[in-house]
């Protein structure tokens, strides 16, 4: 039942070639994360500045559905903290909308879907960890990797 302690940190579609593929992705591109929202004090200061200058208050209307990017990965500690990393590669036939490999939709679509469109995945949210698996040997297949990783925290 370790699946209940899991959190999805990304989901994306990528065109792959037969054989070995090297996939690199920035955490800021995660489909579950959003930039931090402005603090209340920042909003107050911005409103005061707009009033003082006789201007409109410009407010970013970006989506607010998703995890703040600073909370996407756990902090860890100086000695290194163990976490389980689970990666699953599927055929891509589970896509419910077009153009998913080009990221023309933007935003945190894994939790919220695309604004005004279908949820991008035909499978259940959290798949394949959305259900109890009686026999963990089912995870021992070539398109799934489950490994313990260490996350370190360093003061800067």
């Amino acid at each position: 039942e370790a699946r209940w302690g899991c959190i999805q940190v990304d989901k994306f579609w990528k065109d792959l070639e037969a054989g070995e593929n090297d996939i690199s992705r920035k955490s800021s591109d995660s489909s579950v994360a959003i930039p931090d929202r402005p603090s209340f004090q920042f909003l107050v200061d911005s409103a005061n500045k707009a009033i003082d200058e006789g201007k409109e208050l410009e407010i970013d209307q970006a989506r607010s559905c998703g995890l703040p990017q600073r909370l996407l990965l756990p902090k860890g500690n100086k000695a290194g903290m163990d976490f389980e990393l689970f990666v699953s590669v599927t055929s891509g036939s589970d896509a419910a909308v077009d153009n998913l490999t080009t990221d023309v939709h933007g935003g945190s679509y894994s939790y919220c879907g695309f604004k005004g469109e279908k949820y991008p995945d035909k499978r259940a949210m959290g798949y394949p960890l959305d259900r109890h698996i009686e026999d963990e040997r089912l995870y021992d297949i070539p398109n799934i990797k489950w490994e313990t990783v260490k996350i370190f925290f360093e003061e800067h």
Side-chain angles (χ1 to χ4, degrees):
E1 292 304 306
R3 67 193 175 100
W4 292 114
C6 293
I7 184 166
Q8 182 176 335
V9 296
D10 203 358
K11 173 186 266 184
F12 59 95
W13 281 261
K14 182 91 172 156
D15 290 323
L16 303 175
E17 302 294 327
E20 191 171 315
N21 289 265
D22 185 25
I23 300 170
S24 180
R25 191 157 161 91
K26 296 180 195 172
S27 61
S28 59
D29 292 336
S30 170
S31 63
V32 303
I34 59 171
D36 280 345
R37 306 304 295 164
S39 68
F40 181 72
Q41 188 60 53
F42 176 83
L43 293 173
V44 168
D45 293 344
S46 298
N48 287 337
K49 182 178 179 185
I51 291 169
D52 291 344
E53 296 175 359
K55 295 182 179 178
E56 291 270 332
L57 175 61
E58 293 186 27
I59 299 175
D60 180 11
Q61 296 295 327
R63 294 181 65 183
S64 58
C65 177
L67 287 174
Q69 288 173 346
R70 66 184 161 82
L71 299 178
L72 187 58
L73 294 177
K75 184 176 178 180
N77 61 36
K78 289 181 181 182
M81 188 179 288
D82 287 347
F83 290 91
E84 299 297 315
L85 178 65
F86 178 88
V87 177
S88 173
V89 177
T90 64
S91 67
S93 62
D94 47 0
V97 295
D98 295 327
N99 300 325
L100 289 171
T101 59
T102 58
D103 196 24
V104 295
H105 302 279
S108 54
Y109 58 80
S110 282
Y111 289 164
C112 314
F114 298 125
K115 192 171 186 178
E117 296 184 45
K118 293 180 185 177
Y119 184 72
D121 196 336
K122 293 177 185 173
R123 298 183 191 223
M125 188 178 285
Y127 175 84
L129 300 176
D130 61 322
R131 63 200 74 210
H132 178 72
I133 304 294
E134 292 288 334
D135 188 344
E136 290 188 13
R137 290 178 295 178
L138 292 175
Y139 290 121
D140 190 22
I141 56 177
N143 65 317
I144 289 181
K145 182 72 172 177
W146 195 315
E147 190 159 321
T148 302
V149 297
K150 281 193 182 290
I151 296 181
F152 295 88
F153 173 73
E154 296 178 2
E155 293 275 349
H156 292 282

